[in-house]
Amino acid sequence: MDARAVGGRAMTDAAPRALPFPYGAVRLKPTSAFAPARDRMLHLARVYPIDRLLAVFRAGAGLDTRGAEPPGAWEGFGHPAEEPWGEHDYPGREAAQTANLLRGHYTGHFLSMLALAAAGEDDDELRSRVDELVGGLAEVQQALAATGRYSHPGLLFASGEWQFARLEHLAPYGEIWAPYYTCHKLMAGLLDAYELAGNEQALEVVTGMAHWISGRLEKLDHDHRQRMWSLYIAGEFGGMNETLARLSAIADEPRFLAAARAFDQADLLDAASSGHDILDGMHANQHLPQLVGYVREYELTGERRYLAAAIGVFDQVVPGRMYAHGGTGENELWGPPRTVAGDIGRRNAETCATYNLVKLAEALFTHTLAPRFLDYAERARQNHILGSRRAVDSDDSPEVTYMFPVHAGALPEYDNVGTCCGGTGLENHVGHQAGIFFRGTGAEPALWVARYTPAELRWGERGIRVDIDQDHPFADRVTLRVRTTQARPVPLMIHLRIPEWVAGSAEVAVDGRRIEFDARPGGVVTIDRAWQGDERIELTLPAALRSEPTIDDPELRSLRYGPHVLVARDESTTTIERAWNAQRMPGGATRADVADVSAALAATGAVPIAGLRHEPVWNGSDERYHLYSRGADRTIGFAGVETGVPARRRADGTTLVDVLWAEPAPRDDAELLDRLVAVCRAGMTENLLSGSEARVVVAAGLAAGDGAPGFAESARRAREFLAETAALPDAVMPPDIEIAVSPAPAASGWFTAPPTVEVRASGAVRVELRLDDDPWRAADGPVVVDREGLVRLEARAIDEQGRSSTARRELAIDTEPPRSEARMTQLGAAVEITLVATDDVSGVDAIRWQGEGTFWATFQEAFVRALTDREQVIEFAATDRAGNEEARHRLTLPPAPKMDTIAIALTPAPDIARSENDT
């Protein structure tokens, strides 16, 4: 949210309590980890031809395209037979031949990118490019108005007004493609050109558009609009409410605020503001932008339900539907509440969604001043957003991700010219300086420092300059240099965010004098004083390598060092398993294979952990990566020490390792040693450890201790335990037993091929296995489990003295793909296609289809394809929640001949070699 975008006056008492600084007041330094991505995108901003961005608009308005080709992908000229029909000219889906119906959205994003870059870099060359693009759009708007064909002279669109009219008749995605989404991108770009680059013509153009849209919406009643906005993708309107609310404040035009409120989606507003979660199955980025708009509407109306709804949805996504790098959603859709591991598919984390979640989080911070919103924004900006830019230069591609998937052995979906994420990606990487500083809006001057990356703030109004410096992105020491430009002292309250990832105690010193404070990680330290001359704040934010479990599966973990999410680089495509509990350190840290993680990352950009090379997810590499790995501790280990003592399971499936690290987990070596002694005593009582095994574990804890104050007393108690158990005879342990399953399950956690089970037991004379409620049977060799669904396994081993031990596992097995079919309705020169699928085991996850001009996309509703002058091939396939994908089916649509000869052939698609990055 730009500081100027709230308008020239306070509209209600719901004004923000803090505001970001205008672009240009904050600049990244070359040493920032964000600077290379910014520089690459600035290059594209300077060299990409403006005529290419205007080509689709000029073609639609009958103007000379100057020989320019459009950007490509979703940004094409459309079907050769298509016309820029007005709302009443459209010949109907039976006869219309259409394509590239989202064209024009990419130009809006590019205009925003140019405006952001011009302001952020204070660059006259970039301002001139803003002026050139706005001038071209204004010329198109005037040419369209001169035709008299459209409902209002303010119309600016590349494919004609008919899409809006068809949406009002509830046309599905496929016949139309989110016309208000495209409209929003254009209006947002024009408004940015006015606010950030000072282009007055842009305000004239966008004001005309707003009057045109207001006229369309004012004719529709509330219930009809609700039906429109609920349409999957067809009714997607981006942040129309946000942009119209911004414009209403700038232009002082109440009609535009009424138009903004016409986009309110009642079911989402009501549910989210009351804490009811309805997100499962919803299209994430169809709804996230409107939440930012609700914050704007709250500011202008004072109606608190808008802010409550925005906070409500944010809290339902973060952390309950958030992947480790800050992304959300599978196949652009949200899954069930508090489900992360269970919602890992093959195309997770649409970058558009994270772009909007960051905007939302920072907007919510400005009203609440709650640091948790900044915690999310930092995680997402540092990892998903920065990592979404490939580390290459390009003259014609943004080289950004569409999906930033999280499954085992994933590859990011880079490039994305002309797509939605290609558009938001243009903006992301010229705006990395946003969200570092905020200024208070209260009576007392205040500065919030939200992120720590090398940057400079020039606050002319206060006569203050603040520089942030850091030796490298992984250093735990940050210096803030505060300089005043006037002779008298400048009173200023500086709030320093203490990130939630801080390990241990943060330290703050001003000019070498340490400040005492009680803020914990996730809190804020406030320095309230008068500043004069040149003063320094030294901030120490100790980081630790941490293994973080997913919210719904404690054994599926990601690794994080400070704000940096680390991924394992490995060519495998199955989930990596490691004994992560054996790597755990007191205080919540995880042990790496080197002593100094920060130094290793700074020197080589990588750090070895558990035998694997780990790198920051944000480094722009296109190598295969593993964001998650699975914990598999079969022996008792801790602090990098492997004792070799079996971690035997209780009847409930838990082990002594679970007790060792139960919350509150040990905070230091002394607490760890005490916990080890207590665990070993309990283990001997429960016949899970022999005396000699217990002594091995405790002795290892003694040897691993750091000897710090407080450890000596714990060490005394540990030696007493060793002495008192030394004379006890070893109890004979029941047989060690393990149910081994191969191969590993898919990333979904389901076995997609019949797994083979083998019961391993030492010291047993009889080993048995039972599946579900079947009778027990001898387990004297591998057993193939040829069942579907959730299968319960129970094994038992009995030794000569009759002592027994048991093991249990539950396997989710789905080896068959879903079955899909296409149901078609012939519409003369077009065909309406409905794809349906069934799966009786794990359930259908998605149906995707691909045709000319369409990427491998997820569809939920009927869509329409016009017959053209040549044969068209459409392929489709369904995927289940286990990850099985059926062989692609092929629909062959013939050329558009006589109406009575249209025939549609349905045949299996041939095997097609394709990479995971097949979009």
Side-chain angles (χ1 to χ4, degrees):
M1 185 182 295
D2 183 76
R4 300 170 56 189
V6 177
R9 59 191 178 89
M11 305 289 286
T12 70
D13 59 0
R17 298 165 64 189
L19 287 172
F21 285 87
Y23 280 90
V26 181
R27 298 283 296 274
L28 290 177
K29 294 188 174 184
T31 51
S32 169
F34 295 87
R38 174 205 60 188
D39 293 343
R40 290 187 170 103
M41 200 61 82
L42 285 173
H43 170 75
L44 182 68
R46 292 187 170 104
V47 304
Y48 196 82
I50 298 297
D51 283 340
R52 293 191 66 183
L53 299 167
L54 290 169
V56 295
F57 291 93
R58 286 171 171 160
L63 300 175
D64 182 5
T65 63
R66 305 180 185 182
E69 289 294 323
W74 300 353
E75 287 287 316
F77 282 129
H79 192 278
E82 184 180 348
E83 295 184 39
W85 295 295
E87 61 176 339
H88 303 302
D89 301 327
Y90 179 65
R93 58 183 180 177
E94 295 84 357
Q97 294 172 325
T98 57
N100 298 95
L101 295 180
L102 211 65
R103 60 186 182 268
H105 80 288
Y106 192 72
T107 298
H109 282 297
F110 211 104
L111 181 54
S112 285
M113 183 257 277
L114 289 173
L116 290 164
E121 302 302 311
D122 192 18
D123 188 310
D124 287 337
E125 177 192 356
L126 291 170
R127 288 192 190 93
S128 70
R129 289 175 66 76
V130 170
D131 295 343
E132 181 183 356
L133 184 49
V134 171
L137 291 172
E139 181 185 18
V140 169
Q141 188 183 49
Q142 294 160 9
L144 292 172
T147 67
R149 192 174 192 175
Y150 304 103
S151 66
H152 187 281
L155 177 138
L156 177 59
F157 210 62
S159 68
E161 195 172 9
W162 65 273
Q163 283 203 71
F164 297 89
R166 291 302 302 141
L167 174 61
E168 290 161 11
H169 285 83
L170 308 179
Y173 179 27
E175 181 182 355
I176 63 172
W177 191 349
Y180 278 110
Y181 175 93
T182 301
C183 193
H184 165 245
K185 304 312 171 191
L186 287 170
M187 294 185 71
L190 288 161
L191 203 50
D192 287 340
Y194 168 70
E195 291 191 288
L196 302 175
N199 187 292
E200 296 287 342
Q201 188 178 32
L203 182 60
E204 297 174 10
V205 175
V206 74
T207 300
M209 293 183 72
H211 281 296
W212 157 56
I213 288 165
S214 297
R216 293 213 70 92
L217 296 177
E218 286 162 1
K219 297 182 297 184
L220 307 173
D221 63 37
H222 174 270
D223 290 344
H224 191 83
R225 291 196 304 266
Q226 295 307 302
R227 289 194 293 273
M228 286 164 53
W229 308 147
S230 67
L231 291 172
Y232 175 72
I233 294 186
E236 183 175 0
F237 57 77
M240 281 298 304
N241 54 349
E242 177 202 10
T243 295
L244 284 164
R246 285 171 63 191
L247 183 58
S248 72
I250 292 168
D252 195 16
E253 175 53 77
R255 187 187 194 198
F256 299 159
L257 179 57
R261 301 185 73 177
F263 287 97
D264 290 354
Q265 191 167 347
D267 58 346
L268 184 63
L269 259 174
D270 294 344
S273 59
S274 62
H276 183 50
D277 191 324
I278 62 170
L279 300 186
D280 190 7
M282 294 180 73
H283 185 278
N285 205 50
Q286 182 166 344
H287 301 289
L288 282 171
Q290 72 196 69
L291 300 172
V292 183
Y294 291 156
V295 178
R296 293 283 187 186
E297 292 179 71
Y298 167 65
E299 293 167 358
L300 298 180
T301 67
E303 292 186 22
R304 193 157 187 89
R305 68 185 181 116
Y306 286 122
L307 184 65
I311 293 173
V313 173
F314 182 90
D315 287 344
Q316 290 165 9
V317 175
V318 179
R321 292 177 170 96
M322 182 196 74
Y323 303 109
H325 60 9
T328 187
E330 158 62 7
N331 268 319
E332 305 187 9
L333 308 178
W334 278 311
R338 297 185 62 81
T339 304
V340 174
D343 202 36
I344 293 177
R346 305 293 285 183
R347 297 192 72 238
N348 287 101
E350 182 186 10
T351 304
C352 278
T354 303
Y355 158 92
N356 281 303
L357 262 175
V358 169
K359 289 178 67 175
L360 177 62
E362 291 176 351
L364 293 176
F365 168 76
T366 66
H367 284 277
T368 66
L369 302 184
R372 65 188 178 93
F373 296 114
L374 298 180
D375 288 336
Y376 170 77
E378 179 188 54
R379 177 190 288 265
R381 282 186 177 276
Q382 182 72 63
N383 297 290
H384 189 160
I385 297 300
L386 180 55
S388 70
R389 183 54 167 85
R390 196 180 213 158
V392 297
D393 297 321
S394 176
D395 290 350
D396 57 12
S397 170
E399 289 294 349
V400 293
T401 56
Y402 194 117
M403 296 293 178
F404 203 147
V406 301
H407 63 275
L411 292 168
E413 296 182 4
Y414 287 126
D415 186 19
N416 289 294
V417 172
T419 69
C420 54
C421 293
T424 53
L426 293 169
E427 300 177 40
N428 278 332
H429 300 286
V430 296
H432 285 308
Q433 71 270 45
I436 297 175
F437 299 101
F438 294 83
R439 60 181 178 86
T441 59
E444 299 296 324
L447 173 69
W448 293 79
V449 185
R451 290 195 291 130
Y452 300 103
T453 190
E456 63 179 24
L457 164 67
R458 295 178 183 268
W459 193 358
E461 179 186 354
R462 298 297 308 165
I464 287 278
R465 173 175 171 175
V466 179
D467 287 81
I468 300 178
D469 288 295
Q470 187 181 29
D471 287 343
H472 55 80
F474 314 101
D476 64 2
R477 188 165 183 173
V478 178
T479 300
L480 282 77
R481 187 177 178 187
V482 183
R483 286 178 281 181
T484 60
T485 58
Q486 49 195 20
R488 65 180 183 276
V490 178
L492 179 65
M493 195 182 308
I494 297 181
H495 303 287
L496 303 173
R497 169 177 163 259
I498 305 299
E500 46 81 27
W501 49 258
V502 166
S505 299
E507 295 181 4
V508 179
V510 178
D511 284 342
R513 182 173 300 173
R514 184 171 174 177
I515 295 176
E516 298 297 326
F517 60 91
D518 60 2
R520 297 178 179 179
V524 173
V525 172
T526 299
I527 305 174
D528 189 3
R529 56 175 289 176
W531 304 86
Q532 188 169 26
D534 187 345
E535 301 183 85
R536 292 176 182 270
I537 301 173
E538 299 289 345
L539 186 62
T540 302
L541 303 171
L545 180 66
R546 296 186 185 276
S547 170
E548 298 183 336
T550 58
I551 199 166
D552 54 328
D553 184 349
E555 296 308 317
L556 194 68
R557 300 165 178 258
S558 60
L559 290 178
R560 191 179 180 200
Y561 183 76
H564 312 282
V565 173
L566 306 180
V567 292
R569 297 292 182 185
D570 190 87
E571 286 301 307
S572 66
T573 56
T574 56
T575 303
I576 292 170
E577 291 191 350
R578 286 294 185 272
W580 287 122
N581 283 315
Q583 299 292 113
R584 290 184 70 168
M585 304 287 289
T590 293
R591 186 184 184 93
D593 299 349
V594 294
D596 193 331
V597 174
S598 172
L601 289 169
T604 67
V607 59
I609 307 169
L612 292 169
R613 176 170 60 101
H614 283 76
E615 297 176 351
V617 70
W618 51 257
N619 67 3
S621 169
D622 53 11
E623 289 183 73
R624 200 175 292 280
Y625 61 90
H626 294 252
L627 183 64
Y628 293 105
S629 58
R630 182 165 293 282
D633 291 84
R634 296 182 175 85
T635 57
I636 297 175
F638 47 85
V641 176
E642 183 51 74
T643 68
V645 174
R648 298 183 180 93
R649 294 192 178 275
R650 297 187 177 95
D652 64 1
T654 61
T655 73
L656 293 178
V657 174
D658 299 315
V659 180
L660 176 62
W661 295 109
E663 294 295 339
R667 293 171 297 179
D668 54 33
D669 281 1
E671 287 191 8
L672 175 61
L673 187 56
D674 283 339
R675 182 74 65 87
L676 283 169
V677 171
V679 164
C680 286
R681 287 190 187 278
M684 293 174 65
T685 301
E686 296 180 60
N687 216 29
L688 296 172
L689 285 177
S690 68
S692 58
E693 288 173 336
R695 289 191 292 275
V696 167
V697 171
V698 172
L702 269 169
D706 59 4
F711 184 76
E713 184 60 24
S714 297
R716 181 189 63 79
R717 289 191 290 269
R719 293 189 187 97
E720 288 179 353
F721 172 81
L722 294 176
E724 71 184 59
T725 60
L728 298 176
D730 258 359
V732 178
M733 292 292 100
D736 293 328
I737 186 170
E738 174 193 2
I739 301 176
V741 184
S742 62
S748 63
W750 287 76
F751 289 88
T752 55
T756 298
V757 172
E758 187 172 3
V759 181
R760 299 169 184 168
S762 60
V765 295
R766 189 167 79 252
V767 180
E768 296 175 323
L769 177 68
R770 180 166 65 179
L771 278 63
D772 295 323
D773 295 323
D774 291 357
W776 288 96
R777 60 178 173 177
D780 50 6
V783 176
V784 176
V785 182
D786 57 359
R787 302 186 180 190
E788 299 284 302
L790 297 179
V791 181
R792 298 190 313 276
L793 303 181
E794 186 175 9
R796 64 186 179 192
I798 304 170
D799 65 13
E800 290 181 344
Q801 284 72 40
R803 288 178 291 261
S804 67
S805 55
T806 62
R808 294 190 181 97
R809 290 191 68 165
E810 186 175 76
L811 308 182
I813 306 172
D814 186 354
T815 64
E816 296 295 329
R819 299 169 300 282
S820 66
E821 62 175 320
R823 298 172 184 171
M824 291 153 291
T825 303
Q826 296 182 18
L827 304 170
V831 177
E832 182 181 78
I833 303 170
T834 303
L835 302 177
V836 294
T838 57
D839 186 279
D840 299 328
V841 183
S842 61
V844 175
D845 182 61
I847 309 175
R848 301 183 183 92
W849 74 272
Q850 184 172 26
E852 184 178 342
T854 306
F855 71 101
W856 192 230
T858 302
F859 276 68
Q860 287 189 327
E861 297 186 1
F863 60 95
V864 175
R865 292 291 280 190
L867 300 178
T868 69
D869 56 358
R870 64 184 183 278
E871 184 180 89
Q872 296 181 70
V873 174
I874 294 175
E875 295 177 350
F876 66 92
T879 305
D880 61 24
R881 286 194 171 274
N884 297 301
E885 183 177 324
E886 66 176 339
R888 293 194 186 189
H889 300 294
R890 174 173 288 183
L891 275 174
T892 302
L893 304 184
K898 302 173 184 177
M899 284 294 192
D900 59 356
T901 62
I902 295 175
I904 301 167
L906 177 60
T907 60
D911 291 337
I912 298 173
R914 60 188 181 92
S915 71
E916 292 174 41
N917 190 15
D918 65 331
T919 60

